[in-house]
Amino acid sequence: MRGIGAQVKSGEAGGGMKKFVFQLDALYQVKRARKDQLQKEYSEAAALYQAALEKKDALDSALEAESVRYEARAKKGMTAGELLAGSAFFADLQKRRKSAAADAERARRHAEGRQRELLEAFQDIKALEKLQDKQYEAYLAEEGKQETSRIEDMLSFSLSGQAQIPAGG
């Protein structure tokens, strides 16, 4: 992962080079901060989804276990009150399971939405980093041209200075 320090680079060739500053650095910083926030939100949403799934699974298991117990008691014989109580219990358990399934589905959709936003943030950052690299390459090319020009000027000055010195002098 690219560090913040990559935003400003300076040349090694002494005082002649100006510092490189990424033109879209402010946007880059905002996108990175947003990505960090989205990572946190996605982690929280994924944890909520996992908890909702576990709650639904626990209710599924409870419903199945109670069904087995209820059938075993029914085979031995039950009173009308026991049948009525069992029916109400199962209706409540199924209602809670249905609600838990809906909660899990909402949590899944929310987590997927955060995940999509996070992916977009990563793509935006990657695009900005590519732009930064291109700007830095252009900066280096321009600095190279300027350095070449300075060297040529110095050579030209030096050669023109030697031409003015009398021979044998």
Side-chain angles (χ1 to χ4, degrees):
M1 189 171 279
R2 188 178 300 244
I4 302 303
Q7 301 310 309
V8 177
K9 302 174 185 176
S10 63
E12 300 88 26
M17 293 180 71
K18 62 184 179 191
K19 286 188 177 184
F20 169 73
V21 178
F22 180 44
Q23 294 173 350
L24 299 174
D25 187 55
L27 177 61
Y28 180 75
Q29 297 304 326
V30 168
K31 292 288 186 178
R32 285 187 59 97
R34 178 68 179 141
K35 178 204 53 108
D36 293 344
Q37 179 63 33
L38 285 170
Q39 280 181 314
K40 180 181 173 193
E41 290 176 12
Y42 173 66
S43 293
E44 291 169 357
L48 288 174
Y49 174 55
Q50 187 61 39
L53 277 180
E54 289 171 5
K55 181 178 178 182
K56 180 189 139 315
D57 290 346
L59 288 168
D60 284 342
S61 296
L63 185 61
E64 188 172 325
E66 288 299 322
S67 292
V68 169
R69 272 187 255 161
Y70 184 78
E71 287 177 21
R73 285 193 326 235
K75 286 180 183 178
K76 293 180 183 177
M78 296 175 87
T79 66
E82 289 173 328
L83 285 171
L84 190 59
S87 177
F89 174 75
F90 280 111
D92 179 61
L93 199 53
Q94 286 175 335
K95 181 180 172 184
R96 288 178 21 217
R97 189 231 168 257
K98 186 177 179 180
S99 176
D103 290 345
E105 180 60 22
R106 273 191 301 278
R108 181 189 64 78
R109 286 194 308 264
H110 181 69
E112 287 176 352
R114 293 289 148 231
Q115 187 178 34
R116 277 191 300 278
E117 287 183 49
L118 184 58
L119 178 61
E120 289 172 12
F122 272 111
Q123 290 170 341
D124 289 349
I125 288 170
K126 189 71 171 168
L128 285 169
E129 287 174 347
K130 285 182 181 179
L131 280 173
Q132 179 187 23
D133 289 344
K134 286 182 181 181
Q135 280 184 10
Y136 188 63
E137 288 172 11
Y139 160 80
L140 290 177
E142 182 61 30
E143 286 296 317
K145 287 178 187 176
Q146 289 178 7
E147 185 67 18
T148 300
S149 176
R150 283 190 293 269
I151 291 171
E152 288 174 355
D153 288 347
M154 286 190 296
L155 285 175
S156 171
F157 178 74
S158 176
L159 290 177
S160 67
Q162 284 180 358
Q164 292 176 0
I165 298 175

